[in-house]
């Protein structure tokens, strides 16, 4: 590797370097302790110094120095890991530089020329290099170390590296931590003791920051049941963020590939950089805090003061600018924040240079004044330019009430434009009962709040806003505030007419999702008057079907109908749709899918909070999994399924303002309220009864809804035995006791627990697969299913990381049966098969591996799952002689052996998009359920194949079968006797066929001729290993028979009977093979094979 020229004093390095070659201008040196005569105490000391001090020489034991005869200064210009590499550089210098140097008169000119030439070479290398780092030179050296020490595939992308200590037991090892796209690596070399650690990101169960008496602050990694601790990091928080993003990225790449289509910086694993990951983490935090669409990215951050008119003072905070939003948050994050869509900005007044201030004018005759902005002039210009881009025709309308304006463009007559509560329970203005009076007082409080803090998208969010939410939202304002707090108002404003188009496109479609929706329509708040009529049912159908059409990955999941029903009560139909989008795609990520990963993650967060805040309960109930099972419906339906409807809507109010934090707080308050009863209960059933009675007793004394509506959601209204609890008091208590839980802590806990939840699900999947295969597999394979599954899955994951175009990745669908979760294409299969096949004949490019792949691919879709893979290993390792021979025999029959394209690997016809869809899409396309049922019935009735069911093998196939046997026996200690046995069997079979043919000649006319010699000649091109003299003799025998007038064929019974008479062949196939050793070797060689 060429190095940026650096000055070196050679006299200080005499004891560390040995000169190998030199001339008038260059010196080639070797590091002591390397190469010939290396080792000993010198080698240990040099190696230790190189590792601890991060010396480039540790990477490169060889280097080239430049010098001039009349100077004592030397310049390092190249280094190399191997002698071959450094000699190549040396030869290049001799051929291209030495002749030119004689032209120069002065030493300074010579040195200047050499340095310029070397810098030019480095620049040329940099043009094709993917490194985009602040210090490319150091990063190149680090990347060289990374490649040398860990021998990972060349496509593996190093993201960043850090100096740290790794604790091996109670002893710290000082070394270097390397973080790449797919692996966490550590290397240390101290006094001859080398420590090398390589952990794949997808194998990590826990990743967290910890501290104890010995380690003040460290990063804890749990993988393969082992704990790893890294400390003494100079930038621990930065390191942890990068590790967290890479681990999350690895999981997402498998389960949520579609999400990267919106994130170009992460779509290509080879382009991922530390800077890109840090920017992505900040943008993610920015979007979560301000509830912005996923398309928004944090572009600029400016510290400034904002004039707060309701408090009459300037508050210090940060301006955050994205593509379409200008946001501000005060320093503590809770005092106040404001979100200004660029579409609402009408003007940016001329900045005030004296106070470095700029004023942003928004619709509704409001203005926000930011002062003490360092780069105020550029910020003002940026906002102006973005406002011009974001302007839309709807801005010309009056903005007195933004929520009433947005989304009405192009509304369809089929879409309901009123909230169902307005239609089925209109408020009586003249009704002056106490509940209605209190409702009017709430409305008045909110109107006062709007007059002070603003109304609509640019409203100030403060502590007072949360206080009003806790006390309860008036029925008339609930829909508007839900839209505002969730950010759905912005989605709706930027997509006018989108919902109407979706409704029209999805109308009349028949999918698995629509079938499930129809089944659940009448189960959604069935006793509420709104859903006893066609108006409510039709609106619910349209919203759910439109969302399933928009997001086929989710489609429809249970609990979505209950949530959408409540949204439709208080929001217009189009607003309810965008609220559902906000909940499913932003506020409750990964909740509504087949695995409900998001809900399981939040349950794990809930368990952590119980341990932290309710120690008495933890002491009594050591197994907190009970709370996970009982609280699942709390999270999935936001308490709607367990609380009366008039109480549940208050919970939804808090959820849209505070997110999942509100649900966690309320869950803790519920357990705290029932603490004594739960501690005294004897079993889980009793605890469930206690909680159910409590939820039935929760009321909303301020609700203006009529009794018929209030009772609609209550499953058991026996409240006499339980003291009633007001929902407002319960929520207020939750905020008072547990309001100190910060949203940032919840998000951090979510990320920490997500790895554990997904790994637990993956482990369950593995156990299910292994359990099923253990029932059907032979003994050798049955005992080694776990390591076999690990290798199979690793092949899928490694290819996902190194190439986004691998077919198996495109087909990964977590909703499939667990046996089809991971699948391999031919190229991946051939790599694994070359490592695991029990004989020495198969190479990566072997045609035989293609035949095996075709044979075990039962549905001929170009992909094999783990069950199909194990069936092949089961036969090859645990099968009897007859089964192994039958397997080889079937390889030479279609679909395994296809003579016309036996060398063409891409023999599978794929759709244009390259995706073979084995399961019905949940969102679109008609599902042929009858075909699935028929396939299932055929699998049940499938009988075991006998040797009589096999077709006869023709002459072309038999010739290839003989060649395959020769290839299998090649290199075996008994090779000669095996070759003779095959030759004997072949001759015997041909003589038998000749006798049979002659006996049939008088009674049957001769069949048409076939050019067997041509066929055999063509087939000979597929032979992959040379044959012995015996096989050559046999070939001549074959040729003499091939020239006969009648084409011959053999049955499997004939072949089996002939081979059973050869003890050498029988003993070869019955020889036991240690599959455990084979799997262990394959695990080590898997990555090295990719490197080669």
């Amino acid at each position: 590797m060429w190095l940026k020229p650096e000055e070196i004093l050679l006299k200080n390095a005499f004891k560390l370097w040995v000169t190998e070659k030199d001339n008038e201008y260059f010196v080639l040196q070797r590091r002591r302790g390397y190469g010939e005569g290396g080792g000993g105490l010198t080698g240990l000391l040099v190696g230790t110094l190189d590792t601890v001090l991060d010396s480039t020489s540790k990477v490169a034991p060889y280097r080239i120095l430049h010098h001039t005869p009349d100077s004592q200064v030397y310049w390092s210009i190249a280094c190399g890991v191997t002698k071959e590499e450094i000699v190549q550089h040396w030869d290049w210098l001799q051929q291209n530089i030495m002749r030119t140097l004689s032209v120069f008169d002065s030493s300074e000119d010579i040195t200047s020329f050499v340095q310029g030439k070397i810098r030019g070479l480095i620049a040329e290398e940099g043009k094709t290099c993917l490194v985009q780092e602040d210090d490319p030179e150091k990063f190149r050296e680090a990347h060289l170390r990374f490649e040398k020490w860990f021998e990972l595939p060349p496509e593996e992308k190093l993201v960043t590296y850090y100096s740290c200590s790794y604790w091996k037991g109670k002893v710290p090892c000082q070394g270097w931590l390397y973080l790449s796209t797919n692996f966490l690596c550590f290397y240390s070399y101290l006094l001859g003791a080398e420590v090398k650690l390589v952990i794949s990101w997808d194998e990590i169960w826990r990743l967290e920051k910890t501290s104890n008496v010995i380690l003040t602050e460290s990063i804890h990694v749990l993988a393969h049941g082992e704990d790893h601790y890294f400390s003494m990091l100079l930038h621990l928080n930065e390191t942890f963020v990068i590790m967290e993003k890479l681990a999350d990225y690895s999981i997402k790449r498998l389960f949520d590939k579609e999400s990267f289509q919106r994130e170009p910086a992460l779509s290509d694993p080879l382009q991922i950089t530390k800077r890109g990951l840090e920017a992505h983490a900040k943008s993610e935090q920015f979007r979560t805090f301000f509830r912005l669409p996923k398309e928004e990215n944090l572009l600029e951050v400016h510290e400034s003061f904002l004039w707060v008119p309701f408090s009459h003072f300037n508050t210090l905070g940060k301006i955050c600018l994205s593509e379409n939003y200008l946001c501000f948050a005060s320093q503590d994050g809770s005092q106040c924040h404001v979100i200004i869509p660029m579409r609402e900005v009408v003007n940016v007044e001329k900045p005030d240079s004296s106070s470095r201030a700029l004023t942003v004018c928004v619709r509704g005759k409001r203005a926000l004044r930011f002062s003490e902005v360092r780069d105020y002039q550029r910020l003002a210009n940026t906002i102006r330019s973005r406002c011009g881009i974001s302007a839309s025709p709807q801005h010309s309308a009056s903005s007195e009430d933004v929520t009433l304006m947005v989304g009405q463009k192009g509304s369809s007559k089929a879409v309901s434009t009123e909230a169902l509560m307005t239609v089925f329970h209109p408020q009586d203005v003249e009704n002056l009962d106490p509940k209605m009076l209190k409702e009017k007082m709430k409305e008045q409080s909110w109107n006062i709040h709007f007059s002070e803090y603003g109304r609509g998208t640019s409203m100030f969010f403060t502590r007072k806003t949360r206080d009003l939410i806790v006390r309860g939202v008036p029925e008339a304002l609930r829909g508007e505030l839900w839209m505002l707090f969730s950010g759905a108002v912005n989605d709706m404003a930027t997509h006018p007419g989108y919902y109407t188009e979706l409704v029209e496109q999805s109308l009349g479609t028949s999918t698995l999702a629509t079938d499930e929706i129809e089944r659940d329509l009448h189960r959604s708040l069935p006793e509420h008057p709104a859903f006893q009529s066609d108006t409510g049912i039709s609106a619910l159908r349209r919203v759910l079907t439109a969302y399933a059409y928009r997001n086929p990955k989710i489609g429809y999941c249970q609990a979505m109908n209950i949530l959408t029903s409540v949204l439709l009560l208080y929001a217009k139909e189009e607003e309810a749709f965008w609220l559902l989008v906000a909940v499913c795609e932003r506020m409750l990520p990964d909740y509504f899918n087949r695995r409900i990963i998001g809900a399981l993650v939040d349950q794990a967060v809930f368990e952590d909070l119980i341990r932290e805040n309710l120690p008495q309960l933890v002491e009594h109930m050591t197994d907190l999994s009970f709370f996970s099972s009982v609280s699942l419906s709390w999270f999935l339906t936001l308490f709607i399924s367990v609380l009366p409807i008039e109480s549940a809507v208050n919970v939804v109010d808090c959820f849209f303002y505070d997110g999942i934090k509100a649900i966690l707080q309320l869950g803790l308050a519920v357990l705290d309220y029932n603490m004594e009863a739960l501690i005294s209960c004897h079993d889980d059933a009793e605890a469930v009864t206690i909680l159910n009675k409590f939820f039935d007793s929760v009321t909303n004394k301020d609700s203006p809804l009529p009794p018929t509506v209030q009772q609609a959601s209550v499953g058991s209204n026996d409240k006499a035995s339980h003291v009633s609890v007001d929902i407002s008091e319960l929520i207020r208590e939750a905020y008072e006791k547990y309001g100190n839980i910060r949203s940032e802590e919840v998000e951090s806990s979510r990320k920490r627990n997500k790895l554990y939840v997904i790994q637990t699900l993956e482990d369950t999947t593995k156990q299910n697969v292994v359990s099923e295969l253990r029932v059907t597999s032979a003994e050798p394979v049955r005992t080694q299913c776990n390591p076999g599954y690990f290798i199979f899955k690793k092949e899928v994951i490694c290819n996902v990381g190194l190439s986004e175009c691998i077919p198996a990745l495109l087909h990964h669908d977590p909703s499939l049966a667990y046996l089809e979760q991971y699948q391999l294409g031919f190229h991946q299969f051939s790599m694994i098969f070359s490592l695991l096949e029990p004989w020495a004949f198969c190479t990566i490019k072997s045609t035989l591996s293609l035949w095996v792949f075709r044979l075990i691919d039962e549905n001929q879709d170009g992909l094999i799952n783990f069950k199909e893979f194990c069936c092949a290993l089961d036969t090859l390792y645990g099968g009897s002689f007859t089964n192994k021979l039958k397997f080889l025999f079937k390889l030479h029959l279609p679909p395994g052996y296809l003579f016309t394209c036996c060398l063409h690997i891409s023999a599978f016809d794929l759709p244009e998009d390259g995706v073979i869809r084995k399961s019905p899409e949940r969102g679109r396309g008609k599902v042929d359920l009858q075909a699935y049922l028929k396939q299932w019935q055929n699998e049940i009735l499938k009988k075991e194949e006998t040797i009589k069911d096999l077709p006869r093998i023709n002459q072309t196939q038999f010739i290839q079968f003989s060649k395959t046997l020769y290839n299998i026996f090649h290199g075996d200690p008994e090779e000669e006797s095996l070759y003779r046995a095959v030759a004997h069997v072949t001759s015997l079979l041909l003589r038998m066929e000749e006798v049979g043919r002659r006996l049939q000649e008088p009674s049957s006319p001769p069949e048409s001729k076939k050019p067997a010699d041509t066929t055999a000649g063509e087939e000979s091109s597929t032979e992959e290993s040379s044959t012995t003299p015996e096989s050559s003799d046999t070939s001549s025998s074959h040729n003499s028979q091939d020239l006969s007038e009648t084409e011959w064929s053999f049955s499997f019974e004939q072949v089996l009977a002939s081979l059973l008479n050869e003890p050498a062949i029988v003993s070869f196939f019955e020889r036991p093979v240690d599959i455990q050793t084979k799997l262990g070797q394959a695990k080590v060689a898997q990555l090295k094979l990719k490197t080669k």
Side-chain angles (χ1 to χ4, degrees):
M1 182 179 76
W2 298 110
L3 299 176
K4 182 181 177 182
E6 289 186 1
E7 188 175 322
I8 288 177
L9 294 177
L10 187 64
K11 62 182 180 181
N12 293 334
F14 275 148
K15 295 181 181 180
L16 299 179
W17 293 92
V18 178
T19 299
E20 297 270 314
K21 296 181 180 182
D22 65 347
N23 57 39
E24 190 178 358
Y25 298 107
F26 300 102
V27 179
L28 190 155
Q29 293 183 321
R30 172 178 55 83
R31 188 78 161 172
R32 287 189 184 275
Y34 298 91
E36 299 177 2
L41 182 60
T42 304
L44 295 180
L45 291 174
V46 171
T48 301
L49 284 172
D50 291 339
T51 303
V52 174
L53 301 178
D54 185 29
S55 171
T56 304
S57 56
K58 168 61 183 175
V59 186
Y62 299 92
R63 70 178 183 181
I64 297 176
L65 305 179
H66 163 66
H67 73 105
T68 53
D70 56 350
S71 173
Q72 296 297 319
V73 177
Y74 288 75
W75 299 84
S76 65
I77 58 172
C79 65
V81 177
T82 63
K83 190 168 185 178
E84 292 76 13
E85 180 186 357
I86 204 68
V87 166
Q88 284 183 359
H89 285 43
W90 178 266
D91 292 342
W92 188 91
L93 290 171
Q94 300 299 312
Q95 296 169 11
N96 298 279
I97 300 294
M98 284 296 294
R99 296 176 183 176
T100 311
L101 297 184
S102 59
V103 177
F104 297 98
D105 297 329
S106 66
S107 300
E108 290 79 6
D109 292 341
I110 292 174
T111 301
S112 178
F113 174 78
V114 171
Q115 291 180 355
K117 199 69 177 176
I118 299 302
R119 289 193 178 96
L121 291 172
I122 294 173
E124 285 298 318
E125 289 179 357
K127 288 181 180 179
T128 57
C129 184
L130 296 174
V131 176
Q132 300 172 1
E133 299 297 328
D134 296 331
D135 193 343
E137 185 66 29
K138 282 190 176 180
F139 197 87
R140 286 171 72 243
E141 296 174 10
H143 196 273
L144 198 62
R145 286 196 299 274
F146 174 72
E147 289 179 337
K148 172 180 179 283
W149 286 337
F150 303 109
E151 297 180 339
L152 295 173
E155 297 90 348
E156 187 62 30
K157 172 70 167 65
L158 177 64
V159 176
T160 188
Y161 62 101
Y162 299 95
S163 172
C164 72
S165 290
Y166 169 65
W167 289 78
K168 194 174 182 181
K170 296 183 179 180
V171 180
C173 302
Q174 183 64 31
W176 291 87
L177 178 69
Y178 295 87
L179 308 179
S180 71
T181 308
N182 296 294
F183 300 95
L184 178 156
C185 306
F186 176 84
Y187 185 86
S188 174
Y189 183 87
L190 295 173
L191 298 178
E194 184 181 56
V195 178
K196 188 184 294 186
L197 181 70
V198 179
I199 302 174
S200 179
W201 292 114
D202 61 274
E203 298 168 1
I204 294 178
W205 285 63
R206 288 277 186 195
L207 179 63
E208 56 192 350
K209 288 188 287 188
T210 60
S211 60
N212 54 42
V213 178
I214 301 176
L215 304 177
T216 54
E217 202 170 15
S218 62
I219 295 176
H220 171 223
V221 176
L222 173 62
H224 296 299
E226 297 181 7
D227 294 300
H228 307 276
Y229 293 91
F230 301 92
S231 65
M232 303 294 288
L233 285 150
L234 188 60
H235 305 287
L236 187 135
N237 290 329
E238 174 191 299
T239 309
F240 182 74
V241 168
I242 298 297
M243 293 172 72
E244 198 174 52
K245 291 300 296 182
L246 286 170
D248 183 61
Y249 173 77
S250 178
I251 296 296
K252 270 190 177 181
R253 211 167 47 237
L254 276 179
F255 293 97
D256 192 21
K257 178 179 180 294
E258 293 84 355
S259 65
F260 294 111
Q261 295 174 357
R262 298 186 299 269
E263 301 169 5
L266 300 181
S267 59
D268 184 1
L270 299 178
Q271 297 291 346
I272 294 177
T273 62
K274 171 189 167 186
R275 191 183 306 168
L277 289 174
E278 288 175 335
H280 186 266
K282 291 177 181 177
S283 293
E284 197 173 55
Q285 187 179 9
F286 164 70
R287 289 191 297 265
T288 302
F289 183 83
F290 291 108
R291 305 276 170 81
L292 298 179
K294 289 186 176 181
E295 295 77 18
E296 298 300 314
N297 294 295
L298 182 61
L299 303 178
E300 298 179 21
V301 178
H302 301 268
E303 282 196 357
S304 75
F305 287 90
L306 172 64
W307 173 252
V308 185
F310 48 85
S311 300
H312 303 289
F313 70 89
N314 283 307
T315 180
L316 177 63
K318 290 184 178 180
I319 300 172
C320 301
L321 190 68
S322 70
E323 289 87 348
N324 299 296
Y325 295 89
L326 173 68
C327 306
F328 177 87
S330 59
Q331 275 189 329
D332 59 3
S334 60
Q335 185 177 359
C336 93
H337 70 271
V338 62
I339 305 165
I340 308 169
M342 293 296 186
R343 64 180 184 275
E344 296 296 318
V345 177
V346 293
N347 188 28
V348 179
E349 294 183 1
K350 188 176 180 180
D352 181 4
S353 57
S354 59
S355 58
R356 294 185 296 178
L358 68 153
T359 304
V360 178
C361 303
V362 298
R363 299 187 182 278
K365 299 180 179 179
R366 296 184 58 225
L368 292 91
R369 187 174 188 273
F370 301 96
S371 58
E372 299 300 327
V373 184
R374 179 175 297 177
D375 202 354
Y376 64 95
Q377 190 69 54
R378 188 174 63 84
L379 178 61
N381 294 333
T382 303
I383 297 173
R384 285 195 191 98
S385 63
R386 296 201 174 275
C387 290
I389 295 170
S390 303
S392 62
Q394 64 197 27
H395 291 163
S396 58
S398 172
S399 60
E400 292 179 2
D401 190 347
V402 176
T403 58
L404 295 177
M405 174 197 69
V406 294
Q408 299 220 348
K409 180 180 177 181
S411 60
S412 170
K413 293 181 180 179
V415 176
S416 175
T417 56
E418 293 292 338
L420 294 180
M421 195 64 78
T422 307
V423 176
F424 289 90
H425 180 56
Q427 290 190 8
D428 186 359
V429 181
E430 297 181 358
N431 185 0
L432 297 178
D433 63 44
K435 288 186 177 180
M436 286 304 299
L437 286 173
K438 196 158 189 178
E439 188 76 3
K440 293 294 181 185
M441 291 174 63
K442 283 183 182 178
E443 288 186 27
Q444 186 63 28
S445 299
W446 275 97
N447 287 329
I448 294 171
H449 183 80
F450 291 148
S451 64
E452 293 182 4
Y453 298 88
R455 185 171 188 172
T457 51
S458 55
M459 184 179 84
F460 283 92
F461 295 82
T462 66
R463 287 196 183 97
K464 189 174 180 180
T465 313
R466 179 181 283 116
D467 293 340
L468 287 173
I469 290 287
V470 171
R471 281 186 290 194
V473 174
E475 300 277 316
L477 297 176
R478 186 160 272 138
E480 175 187 342
L481 293 176
W482 286 358
M483 289 288 289
L484 180 63
F485 297 150
S486 65
V489 63
N490 293 315
D491 293 327
M492 187 169 160
T494 53
H495 296 85
Y498 176 78
Y499 174 67
T500 305
E501 292 175 7
L502 276 184
V503 170
E504 292 172 354
Q505 291 170 5
S506 61
L507 190 65
T509 57
S510 177
T511 65
L512 190 60
T514 56
D515 292 344
E516 292 176 351
I517 289 169
E518 290 297 327
R519 184 188 62 202
D520 289 346
L521 281 176
H522 295 278
R523 303 177 187 176
S524 312
L525 305 185
E527 297 181 13
H528 195 286
F531 298 100
Q532 293 172 356
S533 70
D534 185 60
T535 303
I537 294 294
S538 298
L540 181 60
R541 179 187 292 112
R542 287 192 295 270
V543 172
L544 291 175
T545 305
Y547 185 78
Y549 191 85
R550 163 192 165 87
N551 192 344
K553 183 183 171 187
I554 292 178
Y556 169 78
C557 293
Q558 287 187 345
M560 287 174 68
N561 60 319
I562 297 174
L563 175 61
T564 309
S565 301
V566 174
L567 298 178
L568 282 167
L569 290 178
Y570 294 97
K572 301 170 187 177
E573 186 176 321
E574 185 176 2
E575 293 175 342
F577 169 79
W578 286 112
L579 284 169
L580 183 63
V581 170
V583 171
C584 294
E585 299 177 12
R586 285 203 303 271
M587 301 185 73
L588 297 179
D590 299 322
Y591 259 62
F592 300 99
N593 54 40
R594 300 297 179 186
R595 292 189 169 195
I596 57 171
I597 291 174
L600 297 176
V601 169
D602 284 341
Q603 283 182 302
V605 175
F606 188 50
E607 285 186 23
D608 290 344
L609 292 173
I610 292 174
R611 292 187 186 93
E612 185 179 338
N613 295 279
L614 302 174
Q616 289 179 315
L617 196 60
V618 175
E619 289 176 9
H620 179 74
M621 303 182 73
T622 53
D623 184 11
L624 298 182
S625 60
F626 162 74
F627 295 112
S628 293
S629 58
V630 79
S631 66
L632 182 60
S633 62
W634 304 358
F635 292 98
L636 283 173
T637 65
L638 309 180
F639 284 93
I640 295 171
S641 62
V642 294
L643 286 176
I645 186 64
E646 73 276 6
S647 301
V649 292
N650 284 38
V651 178
V652 179
D653 296 338
C654 299
F655 167 74
F656 277 122
Y657 188 83
D658 274 322
I660 195 62
K661 171 177 173 285
I663 305 299
L664 294 168
Q665 289 175 180
L666 185 61
L668 292 173
V670 168
L671 297 181
D672 190 16
Y673 193 93
N674 296 277
M675 176 82 73
E676 294 182 4
L678 290 172
I679 289 177
S680 62
C681 66
H682 299 89
D683 54 34
D684 291 351
E686 188 178 347
V688 171
T689 304
I690 290 170
L691 291 174
N692 285 339
K693 286 183 178 180
F694 170 77
F695 286 129
D696 290 342
S697 70
V698 176
T699 62
N700 188 348
K701 63 183 181 182
D702 297 332
S703 175
L705 299 180
T708 53
V709 174
Q710 289 191 25
Q711 294 172 4
S713 304
V714 181
S716 173
N717 203 23
D718 181 18
K719 301 181 184 178
S721 61
H722 210 292
V723 179
S724 63
V725 181
D726 184 64
I727 186 63
S728 297
E729 291 298 318
L730 186 63
I731 291 174
R732 183 182 57 78
E733 186 176 336
Y735 272 90
E736 287 180 356
K737 287 188 174 182
Y738 309 109
N740 59 341
I741 298 173
R742 298 172 62 243
S743 298
E744 292 81 2
E745 294 172 356
V746 172
E747 289 300 320
S748 176
S749 183
R750 271 179 162 181
K751 292 175 183 176
R752 183 174 65 251
N753 284 287
K754 185 177 181 179
L755 288 173
Y756 184 80
V757 167
I758 288 179
Q759 293 292 8
T760 303
L761 290 173
E762 286 293 288
D763 193 58
T764 304
T765 298
K766 182 192 73 174
Q767 295 304 329
N768 290 335
V769 172
V770 169
S771 298
E772 180 169 332
L773 291 174
R774 279 175 176 165
V775 177
T776 58
S777 300
E779 182 62 29
V781 175
R782 184 186 308 140
T783 56
Q784 298 299 322
C785 280
N786 274 325
Y789 184 84
F790 175 85
I791 292 173
F792 189 90
K793 179 183 171 184
K794 175 62 68 177
E795 188 67 28
V796 177
I797 292 173
C798 285
N799 280 286
V800 168
L802 299 178
S803 174
E804 292 292 326
C805 301
I806 296 297
L809 174 63
L810 302 176
H811 306 305
H812 182 80
D813 183 356
S815 68
L816 294 177
Y818 45 74
L819 278 175
E820 298 179 1
Q821 288 288 307
Y822 297 107
Q823 301 171 92
L824 294 179
F826 168 68
H827 293 287
Q828 298 127 289
F829 165 79
S830 64
M831 285 189 177
I832 292 189
F833 192 71
S834 67
L835 296 173
L836 292 179
E837 51 82 23
W839 309 304
F841 69 90
C842 187
T843 61
I844 293 178
K845 297 181 180 179
S846 172
T847 13
L848 194 60
S849 62
L850 173 61
W851 300 342
V852 174
F853 181 81
R854 285 180 180 150
L855 180 63
I856 64 179
D857 181 16
E858 294 180 359
N859 54 6
Q860 299 299 303
D861 66 342
L863 295 168
I864 61 165
N865 58 38
F866 184 63
K867 182 180 180 181
E868 293 168 333
F869 180 72
C870 278
C871 287
L873 292 185
D874 190 31
T875 302
L876 295 176
Y877 281 96
S880 63
F881 171 75
T882 302
N883 286 336
K884 289 178 180 178
L885 191 64
K886 185 169 73 172
F887 185 82
L888 290 173
F889 188 86
K890 289 171 68 176
L891 286 182
H892 298 81
L893 297 170
Y897 174 80
L898 298 173
F899 170 65
T900 56
C901 57
C902 64
L903 292 178
H904 296 286
I905 290 174
S906 57
F908 305 102
D909 294 327
L910 299 179
E912 291 182 1
D913 60 357
V915 179
I916 306 165
R917 292 178 176 84
K918 297 172 63 177
S919 64
E921 277 190 275
R922 292 192 294 277
R924 308 180 189 183
K926 180 65 179 175
V927 181
D928 191 355
L929 297 178
Q930 294 297 327
Y932 276 77
L933 290 173
K934 188 175 180 180
Q935 180 184 351
W936 182 47
Q937 185 179 15
N938 292 337
E939 289 178 359
I940 293 175
L941 299 176
K942 189 177 181 181
K943 62 179 182 179
E944 188 175 354
E945 183 181 55
T946 64
I947 59 176
K948 293 184 179 180
D949 298 326
L950 294 174
R952 296 174 70 86
I953 192 170
N954 64 33
Q955 62 185 37
T956 303
Q957 295 162 348
F958 181 74
I959 291 171
Q960 189 59 50
F961 177 76
S962 301
K963 292 178 181 178
T964 300
L965 290 177
Y966 286 133
N967 286 332
I968 290 175
F969 302 149
H970 181 65
D972 191 85
E974 304 294 328
E975 183 178 356
E976 288 188 15
S977 59
L978 289 168
Y979 279 178
R980 283 195 296 269
V982 174
H984 181 261
V985 168
T986 305
S987 299
L988 178 63
L989 286 170
L990 289 172
R991 285 197 298 270
M992 289 171 56
E993 181 63 23
E994 178 68 15
V995 171
R997 184 182 62 79
R998 288 178 179 176
L999 290 173
Q1000 292 178 0
E1001 275 181 357
S1003 58
S1004 60
E1007 297 181 12
S1008 60
K1009 266 180 146 186
K1010 287 208 172 183
D1013 53 45
T1014 306
T1015 304
E1018 291 179 9
E1019 267 306 312
S1020 64
S1021 63
T1022 63
E1023 187 170 358
E1024 298 198 10
S1025 63
S1026 61
T1027 59
T1028 63
E1030 287 86 347
S1031 65
S1032 300
D1033 296 337
T1034 306
S1035 298
S1036 62
S1037 174
H1038 290 173
N1039 293 334
S1040 64
Q1041 296 292 336
D1042 289 346
L1043 295 173
S1044 62
E1045 295 182 358
T1046 306
E1047 182 174 348
W1048 38 262
S1049 63
F1050 301 113
S1051 68
F1052 176 70
E1053 292 167 298
Q1054 290 176 302
V1055 176
L1056 176 63
S1058 302
L1059 290 174
L1060 280 172
N1061 290 323
E1062 300 294 335
I1065 294 178
V1066 174
S1067 62
F1068 174 84
F1069 281 106
E1070 290 185 345
R1071 187 189 306 161
V1073 181
D1074 188 357
I1075 187 173
Q1076 183 176 0
T1077 303
K1078 200 77 173 176
L1079 286 168
Q1081 294 170 349
K1083 186 176 178 181
V1084 174
Q1086 195 169 18
L1087 282 176
K1088 291 185 178 180
L1089 187 63
K1090 294 178 184 300
T1091 305
K1092 293 176 184 176

